[in-house]
Amino acid sequence: MTDMRKGFDGLAGLAQTSLTQDPFSGHVFVFRGRRGDIIKLLWWDGQGLCLFAKRLEKGRFVWPQADSGAVS
């Protein structure tokens, strides 16, 4: 679960510290809020970070169980 108030810098920091990944690698990092109705995707497109967000009006995003903190 992620604090969904975080923006570019906060989510990039989570990718580096919690996931030990490089947020500028070109991988897509997906973060979900506690309630499960919001996700944010962070992606480096080669020129800058892109931040995409989606909020569901009904239902929740199904999230896989991650033992190591990351799912590939």
Side-chain angles (χ1 to χ4, degrees):
M1 291 178 284
T2 304
D3 180 355
M4 297 312 282
R5 296 174 293 181
K6 292 184 184 292
F8 293 97
D9 296 331
L11 294 174
L14 278 178
Q16 284 182 314
T17 58
S18 296
L19 302 176
T20 62
Q21 297 289 320
D22 179 11
F24 307 107
S25 64
H27 293 123
V28 177
F29 297 92
V30 183
F31 302 91
R32 185 184 86 143
R34 181 181 314 145
R35 293 185 320 204
D37 62 340
I38 298 174
I39 60 170
K40 287 187 177 181
L41 290 76
L42 186 69
W43 172 57
W44 174 260
D45 70 354
Q47 297 179 332
L49 283 172
C50 299
L51 182 61
F52 302 97
K54 180 161 185 163
R55 180 182 67 204
L56 296 177
E57 294 298 320
K58 294 181 182 178
R60 302 283 182 258
F61 289 101
V62 177
W63 208 246
Q65 184 65 33
D67 297 324
S68 65
V71 175
S72 298

Coordinates of all heavy atoms in Angstrom, one line a residue:
M1 N 0.8 -1.2 0.0 CA 0.0 0.0 0.0 C 0.9 1.2 0.0 O 2.0 1.3 0.6 CB -0.9 0.0 1.2 CG -2.0 -1.1 1.2 SD -3.0 -1.1 2.6 CE -1.9 -1.9 3.8
T2 N 0.4 2.2 -0.7 CA 1.2 3.5 -0.8 C 0.4 4.7 -0.5 O -0.8 4.7 -0.7 CB 1.6 3.6 -2.3 OG1 2.3 2.4 -2.7 CG2 2.5 4.8 -2.6
D3 N 1.0 5.7 0.1 CA 0.4 6.9 0.3 C 0.1 7.6 -1.0 O 1.1 8.0 -1.7 CB 1.3 7.8 1.2 CG 0.7 9.2 1.5 OD1 -0.4 9.5 1.0 OD2 1.4 9.9 2.3
M4 N -1.1 7.7 -1.4 CA -1.4 8.2 -2.8 C -1.3 9.7 -2.9 O -1.6 10.2 -4.0 CB -2.8 7.7 -3.2 CG -2.9 6.2 -3.2 SD -1.6 5.4 -4.2 CE -2.1 5.7 -5.8
R5 N -0.9 10.4 -1.9 CA -0.6 11.8 -2.0 C 0.7 12.0 -2.6 O 1.1 13.1 -3.0 CB -0.7 12.5 -0.6 CG -2.0 12.4 0.0 CD -2.0 13.0 1.4 NE -1.2 12.1 2.3 CZ -1.0 12.2 3.6 NH1 -1.5 13.3 4.2 NH2 -0.3 11.3 4.3
K6 N 1.5 11.0 -2.7 CA 2.9 11.1 -3.3 C 2.8 11.4 -4.8 O 1.9 10.9 -5.5 CB 3.7 9.8 -3.1 CG 4.1 9.6 -1.6 CD 4.9 8.4 -1.5 CE 5.2 8.0 -0.1 NZ 6.1 9.0 0.6
G7 N 3.7 12.2 -5.3 CA 3.8 12.5 -6.7 C 5.1 11.9 -7.3 O 5.5 10.8 -6.8
F8 N 5.6 12.5 -8.3 CA 6.8 12.0 -9.0 C 7.9 11.7 -8.1 O 8.4 10.5 -8.1 CB 7.3 13.1 -10.0 CG 6.4 13.4 -11.2 CD1 5.5 14.5 -11.1 CD2 6.3 12.6 -12.3 CE1 4.7 14.8 -12.1 CE2 5.5 12.9 -13.3 CZ 4.6 14.0 -13.3
D9 N 8.4 12.6 -7.3 CA 9.6 12.4 -6.5 C 9.3 11.4 -5.4 O 10.2 10.5 -5.1 CB 10.0 13.7 -5.9 CG 10.4 14.8 -6.9 OD1 10.9 14.3 -8.0 OD2 10.3 16.0 -6.6
G10 N 8.2 11.4 -4.8 CA 7.9 10.5 -3.7 C 7.8 9.0 -4.2 O 8.3 8.1 -3.6
L11 N 7.2 8.8 -5.3 CA 7.0 7.5 -5.9 C 8.4 7.0 -6.4 O 8.7 5.8 -6.3 CB 5.9 7.4 -6.9 CG 4.5 7.7 -6.4 CD1 3.5 7.8 -7.6 CD2 4.1 6.6 -5.4
A12 N 9.1 7.9 -7.1 CA 10.5 7.5 -7.5 C 11.4 7.1 -6.4 O 12.1 6.2 -6.4 CB 11.1 8.7 -8.3
G13 N 11.2 7.8 -5.2 CA 12.0 7.5 -4.0 C 11.6 6.1 -3.5 O 12.4 5.3 -3.1
L14 N 10.3 5.8 -3.5 CA 9.8 4.5 -3.1 C 10.4 3.4 -4.0 O 10.8 2.3 -3.5 CB 8.3 4.4 -3.1 CG 7.6 4.9 -2.0 CD1 6.1 4.8 -2.2 CD2 7.9 4.2 -0.7
A15 N 10.4 3.6 -5.3 CA 11.0 2.6 -6.2 C 12.5 2.4 -5.9 O 12.9 1.2 -5.9 CB 10.9 3.1 -7.7
Q16 N 13.2 3.4 -5.5 CA 14.6 3.3 -5.2 C 14.8 2.6 -3.9 O 15.6 1.7 -3.8 CB 15.3 4.7 -5.2 CG 15.6 5.2 -6.6 CD 16.3 6.5 -6.5 OE1 15.9 7.4 -5.8 NE2 17.3 6.7 -7.3
T17 N 14.1 3.1 -2.8 CA 14.4 2.6 -1.5 C 13.7 1.3 -1.1 O 14.3 0.3 -0.7 CB 14.1 3.7 -0.4 OG1 12.7 4.0 -0.6 CG2 14.9 4.9 -0.6
S18 N 12.4 1.2 -1.4 CA 11.7 0.0 -1.0 C 11.8 -1.1 -1.9 O 11.9 -2.3 -1.5 CB 10.2 0.4 -0.8 OG 10.0 1.3 0.2
L19 N 11.8 -0.8 -3.2 CA 11.9 -1.8 -4.2 C 13.3 -2.1 -4.8 O 13.6 -3.0 -5.5 CB 11.0 -1.5 -5.4 CG 9.5 -1.3 -5.1 CD1 8.7 -0.8 -6.3 CD2 8.9 -2.6 -4.5
T20 N 14.3 -1.2 -4.4 CA 15.7 -1.2 -4.8 C 15.8 -1.3 -6.3 O 16.5 -2.2 -6.9 CB 16.5 -2.4 -4.1 OG1 15.9 -3.6 -4.5 CG2 16.5 -2.2 -2.6
Q21 N 15.0 -0.5 -7.0 CA 14.9 -0.5 -8.5 C 15.3 1.0 -8.9 O 15.0 1.9 -8.2 CB 13.6 -0.9 -9.0 CG 13.2 -2.3 -8.7 CD 14.0 -3.3 -9.5 OE1 14.3 -3.1 -10.7 NE2 14.4 -4.4 -8.9
D22 N 15.7 1.1 -10.1 CA 16.0 2.4 -10.7 C 14.8 2.9 -11.4 O 14.3 2.4 -12.4 CB 17.1 2.3 -11.7 CG 17.5 3.6 -12.4 OD1 17.0 4.6 -12.0 OD2 18.3 3.5 -13.4
P23 N 14.2 4.0 -10.9 CA 12.9 4.5 -11.5 C 13.2 5.1 -12.9 O 12.2 5.3 -13.6 CB 12.5 5.6 -10.5 CG 13.7 6.0 -9.8 CD 14.6 4.8 -9.7
F24 N 14.4 5.3 -13.3 CA 14.7 5.8 -14.7 C 15.1 4.7 -15.6 O 15.8 4.9 -16.6 CB 15.8 6.8 -14.5 CG 15.5 7.9 -13.5 CD1 16.2 8.0 -12.3 CD2 14.5 8.9 -13.8 CE1 15.8 8.9 -11.4 CE2 14.2 9.8 -12.9 CZ 14.9 9.9 -11.7
S25 N 14.8 3.4 -15.3 CA 15.1 2.3 -16.1 C 14.2 2.0 -17.3 O 14.6 1.3 -18.2 CB 15.1 1.0 -15.2 OG 13.8 0.8 -14.8
G26 N 13.1 2.7 -17.3 CA 12.1 2.4 -18.4 C 11.0 1.4 -17.9 O 10.1 1.2 -18.7
H27 N 11.2 0.8 -16.8 CA 10.1 -0.1 -16.2 C 8.9 0.7 -15.8 O 9.1 1.9 -15.4 CB 10.7 -0.9 -15.1 CG 11.7 -1.9 -15.4 ND1 13.0 -1.9 -14.9 CD2 11.7 -2.9 -16.3 CE1 13.7 -2.8 -15.4 NE2 13.0 -3.5 -16.3
V28 N 7.8 0.1 -15.7 CA 6.6 0.8 -15.2 C 6.4 0.3 -13.8 O 6.4 -0.9 -13.5 CB 5.3 0.4 -16.1 CG1 4.1 1.0 -15.5 CG2 5.5 0.8 -17.5
F29 N 6.3 1.3 -12.9 CA 6.1 1.0 -11.5 C 4.6 1.3 -11.1 O 4.2 2.4 -11.4 CB 7.0 1.8 -10.6 CG 8.5 1.5 -10.8 CD1 9.2 2.2 -11.8 CD2 9.0 0.4 -10.1 CE1 10.5 1.8 -12.0 CE2 10.4 0.1 -10.4 CZ 11.1 0.8 -11.3
V30 N 3.9 0.4 -10.6 CA 2.5 0.5 -10.3 C 2.3 0.5 -8.8 O 2.8 -0.4 -8.1 CB 1.6 -0.6 -10.9 CG1 0.2 -0.4 -10.7 CG2 1.9 -0.7 -12.4
F31 N 1.6 1.5 -8.3 CA 1.4 1.7 -6.8 C -0.1 1.7 -6.6 O -0.9 2.4 -7.4 CB 2.0 3.0 -6.3 CG 3.5 3.1 -6.5 CD1 4.0 3.6 -7.7 CD2 4.4 2.5 -5.6 CE1 5.3 3.7 -7.9 CE2 5.7 2.6 -5.8 CZ 6.2 3.2 -7.0
R32 N -0.6 1.1 -5.5 CA -2.0 1.0 -5.2 C -2.3 1.6 -3.8 O -1.5 1.4 -2.9 CB -2.5 -0.4 -5.2 CG -4.0 -0.5 -5.0 CD -4.5 -1.9 -5.0 NE -4.4 -2.4 -3.6 CZ -5.2 -3.2 -3.0 NH1 -6.2 -3.7 -3.6 NH2 -5.0 -3.5 -1.7
G33 N -3.3 2.3 -3.7 CA -3.7 2.9 -2.4 C -4.3 1.8 -1.5 O -4.6 0.7 -1.9
R34 N -4.5 2.2 -0.2 CA -5.0 1.3 0.8 C -6.4 0.7 0.5 O -6.6 -0.4 0.6 CB -5.0 1.9 2.2 CG -5.5 1.0 3.3 CD -5.5 1.7 4.6 NE -4.3 2.5 4.9 CZ -4.3 3.6 5.5 NH1 -5.4 4.2 6.0 NH2 -3.1 4.3 5.7
R35 N -7.3 1.6 0.0 CA -8.6 1.2 -0.2 C -8.7 0.4 -1.5 O -9.7 -0.3 -1.8 CB -9.5 2.4 -0.4 CG -9.7 3.1 1.0 CD -10.7 4.2 0.9 NE -10.6 4.9 -0.4 CZ -11.0 6.2 -0.6 NH1 -11.6 6.8 0.4 NH2 -10.8 6.8 -1.8
G36 N -7.7 0.4 -2.4 CA -7.7 -0.4 -3.6 C -8.5 0.3 -4.8 O -8.6 -0.4 -5.8
D37 N -8.9 1.5 -4.6 CA -9.7 2.1 -5.7 C -8.9 3.1 -6.6 O -9.4 3.6 -7.5 CB -11.0 2.8 -5.2 CG -10.6 4.0 -4.3 OD1 -9.5 4.0 -3.7 OD2 -11.5 4.8 -4.1
I38 N -7.6 3.3 -6.2 CA -6.7 4.2 -6.9 C -5.4 3.5 -7.2 O -4.8 2.8 -6.3 CB -6.4 5.5 -6.1 CG1 -7.7 6.3 -5.8 CG2 -5.4 6.3 -6.8 CD1 -7.5 7.5 -4.9
I39 N -4.9 3.6 -8.4 CA -3.6 3.2 -8.8 C -2.8 4.4 -9.4 O -3.4 5.2 -10.1 CB -3.5 2.0 -9.7 CG1 -4.2 2.2 -11.0 CG2 -4.0 0.7 -9.0 CD1 -4.0 1.1 -12.0
K40 N -1.5 4.4 -9.3 CA -0.6 5.3 -10.0 C 0.5 4.5 -10.6 O 1.0 3.6 -10.0 CB -0.1 6.3 -9.0 CG -1.1 7.4 -8.5 CD -0.4 8.5 -7.7 CE -1.4 9.5 -7.3 NZ -0.8 10.6 -6.5
L41 N 0.8 4.9 -11.9 CA 1.9 4.3 -12.6 C 2.9 5.3 -12.9 O 2.6 6.4 -13.3 CB 1.3 3.8 -14.0 CG 0.4 2.5 -13.9 CD1 -1.0 2.9 -13.5 CD2 0.4 1.9 -15.2
L42 N 4.2 5.0 -12.6 CA 5.3 5.8 -12.8 C 6.2 5.2 -13.9 O 6.5 4.0 -13.8 CB 6.1 6.0 -11.5 CG 7.3 7.0 -11.5 CD1 6.7 8.4 -11.6 CD2 8.1 6.8 -10.2
W43 N 6.6 6.0 -14.9 CA 7.3 5.5 -16.0 C 8.3 6.5 -16.6 O 7.9 7.7 -16.7 CB 6.4 5.0 -17.1 CG 7.0 4.6 -18.4 CD1 7.9 3.7 -18.6 CD2 6.7 5.2 -19.7 NE1 8.2 3.6 -19.9 CE2 7.5 4.5 -20.6 CE3 5.8 6.2 -20.1 CZ2 7.4 4.8 -22.0 CZ3 5.8 6.4 -21.5 CH2 6.6 5.7 -22.4
W44 N 9.5 6.2 -16.8 CA 10.5 7.0 -17.4 C 10.4 6.8 -18.9 O 10.7 5.7 -19.4 CB 11.9 6.7 -16.9 CG 13.0 7.5 -17.6 CD1 13.8 7.0 -18.6 CD2 13.4 8.8 -17.4 NE1 14.7 7.9 -19.0 CE2 14.4 9.1 -18.3 CE3 12.9 9.9 -16.6 CZ2 15.1 10.3 -18.3 CZ3 13.5 11.1 -16.6 CH2 14.6 11.3 -17.5
D45 N 10.1 7.8 -19.7 CA 10.0 7.6 -21.2 C 11.2 8.0 -22.0 O 11.2 8.0 -23.2 CB 8.8 8.4 -21.7 CG 9.0 9.9 -21.7 OD1 10.0 10.4 -21.1 OD2 8.1 10.7 -22.2
G46 N 12.3 8.3 -21.3 CA 13.6 8.6 -21.9 C 13.8 10.1 -21.9 O 14.9 10.6 -22.0
Q47 N 12.8 10.9 -21.6 CA 12.9 12.4 -21.5 C 12.5 12.9 -20.2 O 12.9 14.0 -19.7 CB 12.1 13.1 -22.6 CG 12.5 12.8 -24.0 CD 11.6 13.4 -25.0 OE1 10.5 13.7 -24.8 NE2 12.2 13.7 -26.2
G48 N 11.6 12.2 -19.5 CA 11.1 12.6 -18.2 C 10.2 11.6 -17.6 O 9.9 10.6 -18.2
L49 N 9.9 11.8 -16.3 CA 9.0 10.8 -15.7 C 7.5 11.1 -16.1 O 7.1 12.3 -16.1 CB 9.1 11.0 -14.1 CG 10.3 10.3 -13.5 CD1 10.4 10.7 -12.0 CD2 10.3 8.8 -13.7
C50 N 6.8 10.1 -16.3 CA 5.3 10.2 -16.6 C 4.6 9.6 -15.4 O 5.0 8.6 -14.8 CB 5.0 9.4 -17.8 SG 5.8 10.0 -19.3
L51 N 3.5 10.2 -15.0 CA 2.7 9.8 -13.8 C 1.3 9.6 -14.3 O 0.7 10.6 -14.7 CB 2.8 10.7 -12.7 CG 2.1 10.3 -11.4 CD1 2.6 9.0 -10.8 CD2 2.2 11.4 -10.3
F52 N 0.8 8.4 -14.3 CA -0.6 8.2 -14.7 C -1.4 7.7 -13.5 O -0.9 7.0 -12.6 CB -0.6 7.0 -15.8 CG 0.2 7.3 -17.0 CD1 1.4 6.8 -17.2 CD2 -0.4 8.1 -18.0 CE1 2.2 7.1 -18.3 CE2 0.4 8.4 -19.1 CZ 1.6 7.9 -19.3
A53 N -2.6 8.2 -13.4 CA -3.4 7.8 -12.2 C -4.8 7.4 -12.7 O -5.3 7.9 -13.7 CB -3.5 9.0 -11.3
K54 N -5.4 6.4 -12.0 CA -6.8 6.0 -12.3 C -7.5 5.8 -11.0 O -7.0 5.1 -10.1 CB -6.8 4.8 -13.2 CG -8.2 4.4 -13.5 CD -8.3 3.5 -14.6 CE -9.8 3.2 -14.9 NZ -10.0 2.7 -16.2
R55 N -8.7 6.3 -10.9 CA -9.6 6.1 -9.7 C -10.8 5.4 -10.2 O -11.5 5.9 -11.1 CB -9.9 7.4 -9.0 CG -10.8 7.1 -7.8 CD -11.1 8.4 -7.1 NE -12.0 9.2 -8.0 CZ -12.1 10.5 -8.0 NH1 -11.4 11.2 -7.1 NH2 -12.9 11.1 -8.8
L56 N -11.2 4.3 -9.6 CA -12.4 3.6 -9.9 C -13.6 4.2 -9.1 O -13.5 4.5 -7.9 CB -12.3 2.1 -9.6 CG -11.3 1.3 -10.4 CD1 -11.3 -0.1 -9.9 CD2 -11.6 1.4 -11.8
E57 N -14.7 4.4 -9.7 CA -15.9 4.9 -9.1 C -16.6 3.8 -8.3 O -17.1 4.0 -7.2 CB -16.9 5.5 -10.1 CG -16.4 6.7 -10.7 CD -16.1 7.9 -9.7 OE1 -16.9 8.1 -8.8 OE2 -15.1 8.6 -9.9
K58 N -16.5 2.5 -8.8 CA -17.0 1.4 -8.1 C -16.0 0.2 -8.2 O -15.3 0.1 -9.2 CB -18.3 0.9 -8.8 CG -19.5 1.9 -8.6 CD -20.7 1.3 -9.2 CE -21.9 2.3 -9.1 NZ -23.1 1.9 -9.8
G59 N -15.9 -0.6 -7.2 CA -15.0 -1.7 -7.2 C -13.6 -1.4 -6.8 O -13.3 -0.3 -6.4
R60 N -12.8 -2.4 -6.9 CA -11.4 -2.3 -6.4 C -10.5 -2.9 -7.4 O -10.9 -3.9 -8.1 CB -11.2 -3.0 -5.1 CG -12.1 -2.5 -3.9 CD -11.6 -1.2 -3.4 NE -12.3 -0.7 -2.3 CZ -13.2 0.3 -2.4 NH1 -13.5 0.9 -3.5 NH2 -13.9 0.7 -1.3
F61 N -9.3 -2.5 -7.5 CA -8.2 -3.1 -8.3 C -7.8 -4.4 -7.6 O -7.5 -4.4 -6.4 CB -7.0 -2.2 -8.5 CG -7.3 -1.0 -9.4 CD1 -7.5 0.2 -8.9 CD2 -7.3 -1.2 -10.8 CE1 -7.8 1.3 -9.7 CE2 -7.5 -0.1 -11.6 CZ -7.8 1.1 -11.1
V62 N -7.8 -5.5 -8.3 CA -7.3 -6.8 -7.8 C -5.8 -6.7 -7.7 O -5.2 -6.4 -8.7 CB -7.8 -8.0 -8.6 CG1 -7.3 -9.3 -8.1 CG2 -9.3 -8.0 -8.7
W63 N -5.2 -7.0 -6.6 CA -3.8 -6.9 -6.4 C -3.2 -8.2 -6.1 O -3.6 -8.9 -5.1 CB -3.5 -5.9 -5.3 CG -2.3 -5.1 -5.4 CD1 -1.2 -5.2 -4.6 CD2 -1.9 -4.1 -6.4 NE1 -0.2 -4.3 -5.0 CE2 -0.6 -3.7 -6.1 CE3 -2.5 -3.6 -7.5 CZ2 0.1 -2.7 -6.9 CZ3 -1.9 -2.7 -8.3 CH2 -0.6 -2.3 -8.0
P64 N -2.1 -8.7 -6.8 CA -1.5 -9.9 -6.4 C -0.7 -9.9 -5.1 O -0.3 -8.8 -4.7 CB -0.6 -10.2 -7.6 CG -0.3 -8.8 -8.1 CD -1.5 -8.0 -7.9
Q65 N -0.6 -11.0 -4.5 CA 0.2 -11.1 -3.2 C 1.7 -11.0 -3.6 O 2.1 -11.7 -4.4 CB -0.1 -12.4 -2.5 CG 0.6 -12.5 -1.2 CD 0.1 -11.5 -0.1 OE1 -1.1 -11.1 -0.2 NE2 1.0 -11.1 0.7
A66 N 2.4 -10.1 -2.9 CA 3.8 -9.9 -3.2 C 4.6 -10.2 -1.9 O 4.5 -9.4 -1.0 CB 4.1 -8.5 -3.7
D67 N 5.3 -11.3 -1.9 CA 6.1 -11.6 -0.7 C 7.3 -10.7 -0.5 O 7.7 -10.4 0.6 CB 6.5 -13.1 -0.7 CG 5.3 -14.0 -0.7 OD1 4.3 -13.7 0.0 OD2 5.3 -15.0 -1.3
S68 N 7.9 -10.3 -1.6 CA 9.2 -9.6 -1.6 C 8.9 -8.1 -1.8 O 9.9 -7.3 -1.8 CB 10.1 -10.0 -2.7 OG 9.5 -9.8 -3.9
G69 N 7.7 -7.6 -1.9 CA 7.4 -6.2 -2.1 C 7.2 -5.8 -3.5 O 6.8 -4.8 -3.9
A70 N 7.5 -6.8 -4.4 CA 7.4 -6.5 -5.9 C 6.9 -7.7 -6.6 O 7.1 -8.8 -6.2 CB 8.8 -6.2 -6.5
V71 N 6.1 -7.4 -7.6 CA 5.6 -8.5 -8.5 C 6.0 -8.2 -9.9 O 5.9 -7.0 -10.4 CB 4.0 -8.5 -8.4 CG1 3.5 -9.5 -9.4 CG2 3.6 -8.8 -7.0
S72 N 6.5 -9.2 -10.6 CA 6.9 -9.0 -12.0 C 5.9 -9.5 -13.0 O 5.3 -10.5 -12.7 CB 8.3 -9.6 -12.2 OG 9.2 -9.1 -11.4

